[in-house]
Amino acid sequence: MMTLTRENLINLILAVMLLAVPFAANALGQPFYITLATRIAILALAATGLNLALGLGGLVSFGHAAFFGIGGYVAGILAAHAFSGDPLLFGLSGSKQMWVIWIAAVILSALVGLAIGAISLRTSGVYFIMITLAFAQMVYYFAISWPAYGGEDGLSILVRNQFPGVNTMRPLTFFLICYVVLLLGLGLFALIRASRFGTALQAARQNEVRVATVGIQPYRIRLTAFAISAAVTGLAGALFADLNRFVSPSMLSWHMSGELIVLIILGGTGRLFGPLAGAALYVIFEFALGGLTERWQFFLGLILLAVVLFARGGLLGLLAGKAKHG
Amino acid sequence: MLLDVTKIEAFYGASQALFGVDLSVAEGEAVALMGRNGMGKTTTIRAICNLNPPRAGAVKICGTDTKGKRPHHIAKLGIGLVPEGRRCFPNLTVHENLFAAARPGQWTLERVNELFPRLEERHAQMARSLSGGEQQMLAIGRALMTNPRLLILDEATEGLAPVIRQDIWKAIRRLKAEGLSILVVDKTLSELLPVADRCVILENGRSAWSGRPADLTTELQDRYLGV
């Protein structure tokens, strides 16, 4: 049973606050804040995916934008085909159903994650960072040069995709969908972290040879973790496309990969709610500082510097103390 | 034969460390691998586990040639290694260290905790915060959790307090009594010899002497093990 540690209490407060803000905004007739909270939930989900690879496995992937963008393009392309009625591949038609899009985004991201991971994980350290970046840039330039789906201009989703029984065009409804998916993503992270697989993944991060001598192949568990991580980030990408009703190559750019890493560092690497804390901080900074100056990222840089220098455990480390795992 | 090592040669880069080591361990047997510092004991163990694969000779585990196999395959063939220097996963808890290594078999968390009650007391503690002796118990426990057919202990009691050493030797004697095959490297002859069924002495990377502990005369000890 989960004990009420300080960290769990903070997690609970974060989860409740994220849920409360859109309801308050809805009551006050301020839908903008609902969109802000939805953005936090989706970015937190994307970063939770990366947290599996980076936080548990120590795999600093600088290419997770590829999966985020692939998820986005799956949503955009399926919706575009459903709208136009043109068949997709092998006689399959598009879809406006979110759950169909989610399944497709998860499967495609996981498969691309497997392919990228299978090659990247043969390297480590700075080479791993560079090779994941290179793969993501390949996907980015492919999207730019693909005129059928908007190329550099991106692809609009005319009407937000549907979910059975609810009106997804209502901001609060769409937020709730994203919130539940985020909770499921966090649940998956917690489950994996507590499993033998997750423990072995963390052990492999600490010492590869020692893990091998107890009969575990580090490469295989890392590849599995990388594919699951890609799938979760891909799912977030599909939701992000639906939030903006637009998908463009910017979702695939290396800035996005960097942003996801920044979210995790801000919140707390390897912590269950680190990505949510980081995403909340990031979006609030973006909103608050962005209103004051165009160069808000300069100030974010300063804050990131302070976190790296003085609060290595991120916001959660600062509030809840040192992580159990380091 | 559970482990059959024939004329292995191993290198560190260009320098040769083993020049033909022969070693075998039968089912249920405890073999002491002995020799002065730098004679090739740890290198032999690393070669058996393919952490430093031999360039010549053969290693067979239960009849399977280990040539080209990765270290995790060797572990799956039934080798449980307790490496020199208490190598735990420092940032995992005691329970997680054991849990990560678990494979089905008679050795379970309960049995390891029964063998080393201190580990049960410290199950939620990070491995890095344990004492040296407790870390060694954890390293042995972790190897047992893989349910090995052969347990290899490389200097398992080195640098430990005498009281803790006694606990570790007690555990080794119990494992031997339960029929587990053991290959053990240790410098404490007074503890090692009563446990061993057979001794193999290495000198300058070669097997120099092999026989029963009773036949290891003072003269032989002075010749091969004295400093």
Side-chain angles (χ1 to χ4, degrees), chain A residues 196 206 210 212 216 324-326, chain B residues 72 75 88 91 96 100 102 126:
Chain A
R196 186 177 164 245
Q206 294 175 34
R210 258 169 250 176
I216 298 165
K324 190 175 72 67
H325 302 98
Chain B
H72 68 271
C88 304
N91 293 333
E96 286 167 340
M126 301 297 269

Side-chain angles (χ1 to χ4, degrees), chain A residues 165-232:
Chain A
V166 294
N167 176 11
T168 55
M169 286 305 283
R170 284 189 60 222
L172 188 62
T173 308
F174 184 61
F175 164 78
L176 287 172
I177 290 173
C178 296
Y179 186 78
V180 170
V181 177
L182 170 65
L183 290 186
L184 291 175
L186 290 171
L188 178 70
F189 181 92
L191 215 63
I192 287 177
R193 190 173 63 175
S195 69
R196 186 177 164 245
F197 167 77
T199 314
L201 183 65
Q202 294 172 75
R205 186 191 65 203
Q206 294 175 34
N207 194 306
E208 204 167 306
V209 175
R210 258 169 250 176
V211 163
T213 59
V214 295
I216 298 165
Q217 187 181 11
Y219 177 77
R220 191 177 290 183
I221 53 168
R222 283 178 178 152
L223 184 57
T224 311
F226 195 78
I228 298 172
S229 159
V232 173

Side-chain angles (χ1 to χ4, degrees), chain A residues 133-176:
Chain A
L133 170 66
F135 274 116
Q137 288 301 94
M138 279 164 64
V139 181
Y140 172 74
Y141 284 111
F142 179 73
I144 277 189
S145 58
W146 200 11
Y149 296 112
E152 211 162 345
D153 297 331
L155 185 63
S156 291
I157 299 171
L158 296 174
V159 181
R160 187 172 284 154
N161 292 303
Q162 298 154 1
F163 194 83
V166 294
N167 176 11
T168 55
M169 286 305 283
R170 284 189 60 222
L172 188 62
T173 308
F174 184 61
F175 164 78
L176 287 172

Side-chain angles (χ1 to χ4, degrees), chain A residues 31-260:
Chain A
F32 171 72
Y33 293 99
I34 304 178
T35 307
L36 221 56
T38 312
R39 194 172 143 78
I40 291 174
I42 294 172
L43 287 177
L45 180 66
T48 298
L50 179 60
N51 205 20
L52 274 167
L54 196 157
L56 297 187
L59 307 168
V60 186
S61 165
F62 202 21
H64 260 53
F67 313 121
F68 193 62
I70 284 170
Y73 270 95
V74 165
I77 291 172
L78 285 179
H81 280 271
F83 191 78
S84 67
D86 295 337
L88 194 63
L89 286 171
F90 316 116
L92 289 171
S93 57
S95 176
K96 291 176 134 195
Q97 288 299 326
M98 278 189 188
W99 63 271
V100 174
I101 289 167
W102 294 348
I103 292 171
V106 162
I107 292 174
L108 193 66
S109 308
L111 288 176
V112 176
L114 265 183
I116 293 180
I119 297 167
S120 312
L121 288 166
R122 293 180 193 279
T123 65
S124 62
V126 74
Y127 298 102
F128 179 78
I129 297 174
M130 286 299 124
I131 204 165
T132 47
L133 170 66
F135 274 116
Q137 288 301 94
M138 279 164 64
V139 181
Y140 172 74
Y141 284 111
F142 179 73
I144 277 189
S145 58
W146 200 11
Y149 296 112
E152 211 162 345
D153 297 331
L155 185 63
S156 291
I157 299 171
L158 296 174
V159 181
R160 187 172 284 154
N161 292 303
Q162 298 154 1
F163 194 83
V166 294
N167 176 11
T168 55
M169 286 305 283
R170 284 189 60 222
L172 188 62
T173 308
F174 184 61
F175 164 78
L176 287 172
I177 290 173
C178 296
Y179 186 78
V180 170
V181 177
L182 170 65
L183 290 186
L184 291 175
L186 290 171
L188 178 70
F189 181 92
L191 215 63
I192 287 177
R193 190 173 63 175
S195 69
R196 186 177 164 245
F197 167 77
T199 314
L201 183 65
Q202 294 172 75
R205 186 191 65 203
Q206 294 175 34
N207 194 306
E208 204 167 306
V209 175
R210 258 169 250 176
V211 163
T213 59
V214 295
I216 298 165
Q217 187 181 11
Y219 177 77
R220 191 177 290 183
I221 53 168
R222 283 178 178 152
L223 184 57
T224 311
F226 195 78
I228 298 172
S229 159
V232 173
T233 303
L235 177 60
L239 289 170
F240 197 70
D242 254 331
L243 170 68
N244 302 322
R245 281 186 279 151
F246 178 65
V247 51
S248 78
S250 68
M251 277 179 81
L252 293 156
S253 85
W254 65 273
H255 297 99
M256 190 68 226
S257 298
E259 203 171 303
L260 293 178

